[in-house]
Amino acid sequence: MTVEEFEEFYAQAVARLTGQLYVMTGDLQEAQDVVQEAFVKAWVRRGRLERDGQPEAWIRTVAWRLAVSRWRFRRRSADAWGRWSGAAEHVAPPDPDHVVLVDALRELPAQQRRTLTLHYLCDLTVEQIAGETGLSTSTIKTHLVRGRAALAHRLRDPRIEEAPDV
């Protein structure tokens, strides 16, 4: 992949990948950071990315792994500070301006959220998701079914009563 091809690929994919990672992580700043870091790592291996044929999937996977690593590091740091200071730091509740869908997605287990994002936002097939995540196709299907059911339940408006059958 030449420098120009990589720059064109970056211009076409960065916003889409950032949006996908935002949905997966629930944090726009984190999504922007990990996508940028993944592109930096991709720059070094741009020749291999072209041969592999799926540079966007590679960058998305690397960005996801970076986000998980960062989360684990922050979690360990917070735990250590909590033990040291004797009290855990108070975390403010989510901003009320957040979209209901993002809040509902955040309540899902990480693997369901990732699977739903890859399927619906990234438009990947079950087989492609299995290849990218290393999970079996039946596990992917299970995550999709359970994730959809959980979202349907969470997004139901309790103020609206279903009309009785006539």
Side-chain angles (χ1 to χ4, degrees), residues 6-20:
F6 188 85
E7 288 174 350
E8 182 180 329
F9 166 63
Y10 175 85
Q12 292 175 354
V14 69
R16 181 174 48 252
L17 286 165
T18 301
Q20 293 164 0

Side-chain angles (χ1 to χ4, degrees), residues 29-164:
Q29 184 65 46
E30 183 72 7
Q32 291 169 333
D33 288 348
V34 295
V35 168
Q36 288 301 318
E37 192 171 336
F39 268 105
V40 169
K41 291 178 183 290
W43 172 259
V44 176
R45 32 176 313 129
R46 54 185 198 277
R48 281 184 269 163
L49 284 177
E50 187 176 48
R51 281 193 304 271
D52 293 345
Q54 295 198 347
E56 193 167 326
W58 186 89
I59 290 173
R60 185 174 37 249
T61 300
V62 169
W64 170 254
R65 289 177 181 163
L66 288 167
V68 169
S69 294
R70 287 174 168 207
W71 176 82
R72 286 179 179 151
F73 175 78
R74 284 192 300 270
R75 176 77 184 240
R76 285 190 308 266
S77 297
D79 289 347
W81 277 105
R83 285 190 304 272
W84 181 74
S85 68
E89 184 178 326
H90 173 68
V91 176
D95 184 1
D97 294 335
H98 279 286
V99 180
V100 173
L101 178 59
V102 173
D103 289 338
L105 283 167
R106 284 181 179 162
E107 294 176 18
L108 294 179
Q111 203 55 262
Q112 282 180 10
R113 185 174 58 240
R114 182 179 184 204
T115 303
L116 288 169
T117 301
L118 291 172
H119 187 67
Y120 291 106
L121 200 63
C122 304
D123 227 10
L124 299 182
T125 65
V126 169
E127 290 76 19
Q128 289 171 321
I129 297 168
E132 190 167 317
T133 61
L135 301 173
S136 70
T137 56
S138 61
T139 301
I140 297 300
K141 290 175 184 178
T142 301
H143 284 314
L144 288 172
V145 168
R146 290 180 181 167
R148 283 190 294 254
L151 282 178
H153 176 73
R154 286 177 173 86
L155 296 176
R156 187 183 69 230
D157 189 347
R159 298 172 295 174
I160 300 174
E161 293 183 32
E162 292 188 26

